[in-house]
Amino acid sequence: EEYNTLPARAYDIRGLKVQIPSNATVNRTSDRLDGSLKFDDLKPFDGSLKDDREWTTCPVCCFYDLLTNTRYGAGDFISPENLNWVDLIELSKYCNEEVQTPEGPEARFAINTVLGSQASAYEVLQDMASIFRGMLFWKADNVQITADHGNLGGKNASPLAAIHVFSNSNVVNGAFVYNGSSLKTRSTRVRVRYNDPDNFFKPNFIVIEDRALIEKYGVQEKSIVAFGCSSKYQAQRMGRWVLESEKLHDDTVTFSVGLEGLNVLPGQ
């Protein structure tokens, strides 16, 4: 009655309930009431999901739901039989692993977003996978997903073993061609956009920069969007990952192989 028009309002919603792994529960403790998952290490994963759906910020569970749902997802083309949760469980554990921030612990990767408009299925799914640095591909009549997570076994995991060794003897003409990456691809500053929960989830930005690289190459800024991210610390981690990836991946090698090249999957 005190306004000529209805004032703008904002709502904090929990969103859709999705299925979670059989050996997981949603964190409900006072210091982790954030929708992340907690896994029971004493209960081995049997490859199944719970029948009862839960509210969770686990990006892998939300990604799986969008991939298989027949109403708002890609379920008309992809069925649960096309996916294997034995492969996804390690990704989910890595996403929900506790990391420390100045404001307390939080999940390494979490999703808080609203999909309110229609878009290309592949683009939306790739955006969802980008939350946990994932990549989609199709192999052997199954949807496969890989992620740039290094050691998925956790903090005490041993280094990953080589998938396949290529040498002059199993490369066409024994030729390896090496190139350095372009200086234009080496960012010295990364500007990450995320949704700020302290300002009604409106877009905000955080900037990550490397002073040593700026002195060497000058200011070369890259702007990225942290899809579904509502934590400035998660956005910070994404910015650091982009900066370090471009800094360390400064060489490429090109070569041709025979059928044994099929042993190596994208992302390996």
Side-chain angles (χ1 to χ4, degrees), residues 239-257:
R240 284 202 302 267
W241 171 74
V242 171
L243 202 62
E244 290 298 321
S245 294
E246 294 185 2
K247 177 182 176 181
L248 297 173
H249 300 170
D250 56 353
D251 289 312
T252 61
V253 58
T254 305
F255 55 93
S256 300
V257 297

Side-chain angles (χ1 to χ4, degrees), residues 15-246:
L16 290 170
K17 289 183 176 182
V18 298
Q19 288 182 291
I20 64 175
S22 58
N23 64 337
T25 55
V26 179
N27 276 308
R28 303 190 190 280
T29 58
S30 57
D31 60 335
R32 289 295 302 277
L33 193 62
D34 56 2
S36 60
L37 297 181
K38 180 180 180 181
F39 290 87
D40 186 356
D41 294 331
L42 300 178
K43 183 179 179 182
F45 182 57
D46 60 5
S48 66
L49 302 177
K50 291 183 178 179
D51 294 329
D52 294 334
R53 293 173 176 261
E54 300 269 6
W55 283 298
T56 179
T57 56
C58 173
V60 177
C61 293
C62 295
F63 169 81
Y64 176 85
D65 183 71
L66 190 65
L67 200 62
T68 58
N69 191 279
T70 56
R71 181 174 67 84
Y72 51 79
D76 289 338
F77 312 99
I78 299 172
S79 66
E81 288 73 28
N82 292 128
L83 293 149
N84 188 351
W85 256 97
V86 174
D87 299 326
L88 294 177
I89 190 67
E90 293 301 326
L91 295 180
S92 183
K93 287 181 177 180
Y94 186 82
C95 290
N96 290 279
E97 194 171 64
E98 183 180 283
V99 294
Q100 294 297 326
T101 73
E103 297 180 14
E106 70 175 20
R108 178 178 279 109
F109 300 117
I111 177 173
N112 286 287
T113 191
V114 175
L115 300 178
S117 59
Q118 189 177 23
S120 164
Y122 186 74
E123 290 178 2
V124 175
L125 291 171
Q126 279 286 46
D127 285 341
M128 291 284 287
S130 71
I131 298 171
F132 50 91
R133 303 200 291 260
M135 180 174 63
L136 277 170
F137 63 97
W138 186 269
K139 179 179 182 291
D141 292 333
N142 283 293
V143 176
Q144 304 281 341
I145 185 164
T146 183
D148 185 5
H149 288 174
N151 293 338
L152 286 177
K155 299 176 182 177
N156 300 319
S158 58
L160 294 176
I163 303 298
H164 195 77
V165 177
F166 292 103
S167 65
N168 300 97
S169 61
N170 58 2
V171 169
V172 176
N173 296 326
F176 293 94
V177 180
Y178 295 90
N179 289 290
S181 61
S182 169
L183 293 180
K184 294 180 180 179
T185 65
R186 302 183 196 179
S187 303
T188 58
R189 176 185 293 166
V190 180
R191 191 167 180 256
V192 188
R193 193 183 81 180
Y194 71 102
N195 298 321
D196 190 352
D198 295 328
N199 190 26
F200 298 104
F201 289 89
K202 293 179 181 179
N204 200 350
F205 297 88
I206 195 162
V207 177
I208 310 296
E209 61 183 22
D210 189 315
R211 297 304 306 175
L213 289 180
I214 290 177
E215 292 177 3
K216 187 175 183 180
Y217 301 123
V219 176
Q220 296 186 160
E221 185 174 283
K222 170 178 281 190
S223 295
I224 61 173
V225 177
F227 184 83
C229 175
S230 61
S231 165
K232 63 181 177 183
Y233 301 110
Q234 182 177 331
Q236 227 175 38
R237 292 192 292 272
M238 174 170 280
R240 284 202 302 267
W241 171 74
V242 171
L243 202 62
E244 290 298 321
S245 294
E246 294 185 2

